[in-house]
Amino acid sequence: MHTDMLDLPGVDLVGDLYDPMFFDKLRGQGFKSLLCANLLEHLPDPAAIARRLLELLESGGLLFVTVPRRFPYHAGPIDTLLRPDVAQLHALFPDARLVQGEEVTSMTWWEIMDRSPAALARKLARLAVPFYRPKGWLTVAAHVPWLWRRFSVTCVVLEKCGSLTAKTPRAPR
């Protein structure tokens, strides 16, 4: 089941995770596992949502979480620049045991844009007009230092603990 704040194709439930009514709707789904992919860096209070996500799982349920580790600013509509390592991400979920955690390295912006030379040309031309839609210009400008830097993502698999106190985490494999 896919949830989002925007009613887009493929979204099953539309709502705000901070909204108690929407959260109650999710709670009724009986999730055994959840995937939270590249969301926490777009929230003003990621720790609050981390607690809520664990509330949706029964004891022993698994939570798969990804967040950017090394990645440029990307509004959507906000980017709080949360860029945690494995330990910092796990700390947002104190009532969960770390099953696995890793930083995964990916491509560079150049490699992504190389797949579409026209898109790269548009982005680079966009740098010449900072006064036209300044927020969009800032996003493009933020990507320039990343032309040849590799992006990375922090990924963790967490297991919800049975009690309110987190068990000792197992070392990442």
Side-chain angles (χ1 to χ4, degrees):
M1 178 172 300
H2 182 175
T3 66
D4 202 311
M5 287 184 65
L6 303 174
D7 191 4
L8 300 169
V11 175
D12 302 301
L13 289 173
V14 178
D16 184 340
L17 291 172
Y18 290 110
D19 176 9
M21 288 177 45
F22 181 67
F23 187 75
D24 285 342
K25 184 188 263 189
L26 291 176
R27 191 183 316 224
Q29 299 297 316
F31 296 110
K32 291 185 169 100
S33 62
L34 294 172
L35 169 65
C36 177
N38 302 325
L39 168 73
L40 298 177
E41 74 275 12
H42 296 290
L43 302 173
D45 188 358
I49 295 302
R51 287 188 300 274
R52 294 195 121 197
L53 291 173
L54 283 175
E55 285 179 43
L56 294 174
L57 291 172
E58 59 188 48
S59 180
L62 295 176
L63 179 59
F64 303 84
V65 184
T66 65
V67 293
R69 173 66 176 148
R70 288 191 309 260
F71 200 82
Y73 174 84
H74 59 288
I78 66 168
D79 182 353
T80 62
L81 295 175
L82 176 73
R83 303 294 191 267
D85 61 22
V86 170
Q88 292 165 330
L89 183 55
H90 177 225
L92 290 174
F93 300 87
D95 295 328
R97 180 179 66 85
L98 179 64
V99 175
Q100 178 85 27
E102 191 170 325
E103 183 179 325
V104 178
T105 302
S106 180
M107 298 185 292
T108 66
W109 192 48
W110 181 262
E111 290 168 331
I112 292 168
M113 290 290 110
D114 188 42
R115 295 176 183 191
S116 173
L120 178 60
R122 282 193 304 275
K123 295 268 186 197
L124 294 176
R126 177 67 176 93
L127 290 172
V129 285
F131 49 85
Y132 175 73
R133 296 188 179 171
K135 279 188 177 181
W137 181 87
L138 284 171
T139 299
V140 172
H143 283 78
V144 171
W146 292 88
L147 280 171
W148 294 280
R149 277 191 213 160
R150 297 218 167 270
F151 302 131
S152 70
V153 177
T154 300
C155 307
V156 295
V157 179
L158 305 165
E159 178 183 17
K160 181 177 179 180
C161 297
S163 68
L164 294 177
T165 306
K167 297 176 184 174
T168 305
R170 185 170 33 176
R173 296 178 201 175

